[in-house]
Amino acid sequence: MDLKEFLEFMDNGNEVTAGSEVAEWLDRLAFEAIEILEELNRGNHTRKETAEIMSRLTGREVDESFKMFPPFFTDCGKNLKIGKNVFFNSGCKMQDQGGITIGDGTLVGHNVVIASLNHNMEPEKRGNITPAPVAIGKNVWIGSNATICPGVTIGDGAVIGAGAVVVKDVPERTVVGGVPAKFIKTI
């Protein structure tokens, strides 16, 4: 298996069996990410340096318009796609093995968690995981301490209130908040 095959497997939503070759790839990519994140999270970097480090982490070009305040954490990096003029505030944590796409102009607040994996509900298979991609549109604002759960799509221009737990899709230009996140208003 190579990286392309791994990403195709994950992007197709196939269950990953604990101890399998795919699960070994999860571990391998996590350790590669840790090494790159150690560099990213120490010291002060220019925007250009930050974009270069994030490009190595994701395996694809991250535009120099990207801005972040460290620390930042992810357990893969290779299935994270970041648009232009995106901002990550400090403490963001992203579980991107299942795929996370973040559209242009999106703002991600302090300590936001974005998850793209679920564990199997059957206790005997609890070590197995199922990927479910997260898609965040353009010009979205995700408030501090929000959690975006696997499989969620957030429409362009939406606002996710601080501390919200988003478990279902959010239409464009909609404000949601609470646990679980509920409709507040249209903008």
Side-chain angles (χ1 to χ4, degrees):
M1 174 173 277
D2 62 17
L3 180 60
K4 182 180 176 195
E5 291 170 322
F6 168 79
L7 292 173
E8 286 174 0
F9 184 92
M10 298 302 284
D11 289 345
N12 286 326
N14 298 308
E15 184 174 68
V16 178
T17 304
S20 68
E21 181 180 11
V22 177
E24 290 174 16
W25 265 87
L26 292 171
D27 291 345
R28 175 180 165 196
L29 292 172
F31 287 114
E32 286 180 18
I34 289 167
E35 189 173 312
I36 295 169
L37 290 170
E38 286 176 356
E39 177 184 354
L40 180 69
N41 290 329
R42 74 169 178 262
N44 230 351
H45 303 286
T46 65
R47 270 195 179 183
K48 182 177 181 179
E49 291 167 340
T50 298
E52 288 171 357
I53 296 167
M54 288 296 288
S55 294
R56 278 193 287 124
L57 177 68
T58 63
R60 58 184 55 84
E61 184 178 347
V62 173
D63 192 80
E64 283 186 37
S65 63
F66 173 75
K67 181 178 177 182
M68 66 158 285
F69 294 149
F72 169 72
F73 304 96
T74 187
D75 48 9
C76 181
K78 297 299 188 252
N79 215 359
L80 176 61
K81 299 166 191 83
I82 302 169
K84 295 179 180 179
N85 297 305
V86 170
F87 172 65
F88 293 173
N89 217 324
S90 63
C92 292
K93 298 166 189 74
M94 298 188 188
Q95 180 192 54
D96 70 287
Q97 294 100 327
I100 297 173
T101 302
I102 300 174
D104 296 345
T106 291
L107 307 174
V108 182
H110 288 280
N111 302 314
V112 165
V113 173
I114 303 175
S116 65
L117 297 177
N118 271 322
H119 284 275
N120 192 301
M121 292 300 288
E122 295 296 322
E124 302 78 24
K125 296 181 180 180
R126 191 65 42 88
N128 294 358
I129 54 175
T130 304
V134 172
I136 298 170
K138 295 178 180 177
N139 301 309
V140 171
W141 174 19
I142 303 174
S144 296
N145 296 303
T147 298
I148 312 300
C149 292
V152 167
T153 296
I154 299 173
D156 294 346
V159 176
I160 309 303
V165 177
V166 182
V167 297
K168 62 183 182 177
D169 293 352
V170 177
E172 65 181 35
R173 301 184 64 86
T174 299
V175 178
V176 300
V179 179
K182 293 186 181 355
F183 173 84
I184 296 174
K185 66 181 179 178
T186 301
I187 49 176

